[in-house]
Amino acid sequence: MNSISKEVKEDLLVRLNRIEGQTRGVKKMVENEKYCVDILTQIVAARGALKKVGLKVLQEHINGCVQSSLQNEDEEIIDELLNVINRFID
């Protein structure tokens, strides 16, 4: 089940395209032998952007899939959610 609305999907795709561009930029920086600290700064920015995308997907999952499963008394969703959160925070 996917609970991501069309509006949120479009926002996520815009963000992911931006991240893809950031990643290409980091690659180019490495190819052009840019200063290490500048490369690391861009990597941190890309990781932060990707984390925001992940948090938005997690929020949609909780507000959609998890809430729906709990209403249907499917409590296995709690274990799944905890496993996803544990993987996400690493």
Side-chain angles (χ1 to χ4, degrees):
M1 177 191 311
N2 187 333
S3 62
I4 298 175
S5 69
K6 182 178 178 180
E7 179 181 289
V8 171
K9 179 181 175 181
E10 290 172 4
D11 177 61
L12 291 174
L13 291 173
V14 167
R15 290 172 183 264
L16 289 167
N17 285 332
R18 192 174 304 128
I19 293 165
E20 185 178 19
Q22 286 177 304
T23 304
R24 282 193 308 271
V26 170
K27 180 181 176 189
K28 188 170 274 195
M29 291 176 79
V30 171
E31 291 171 346
N32 294 332
E33 300 179 6
K34 296 295 182 182
Y35 185 55
C36 297
V37 172
D38 294 339
I39 295 169
L40 291 168
T41 299
Q42 290 305 311
I43 290 170
V44 169
R47 287 177 61 189
L50 195 53
K51 184 175 182 177
K52 286 182 182 180
V53 168
L55 287 171
K56 186 64 177 174
V57 172
L58 182 59
Q59 178 183 356
E60 293 294 302
H61 178 61
I62 292 169
N63 289 329
C65 300
V66 173
Q67 187 174 13
S68 175
S69 290
L70 289 176
Q71 288 173 349
N72 294 328
E73 299 182 16
D74 177 11
E75 303 214 2
E76 291 177 13
I77 195 76
I78 299 297
D79 290 332
E80 179 187 64
L81 177 61
L82 291 173
N83 286 330
V84 167
I85 291 171
N86 281 326
R87 285 185 294 181
F88 186 75
I89 60 174
D90 284 341

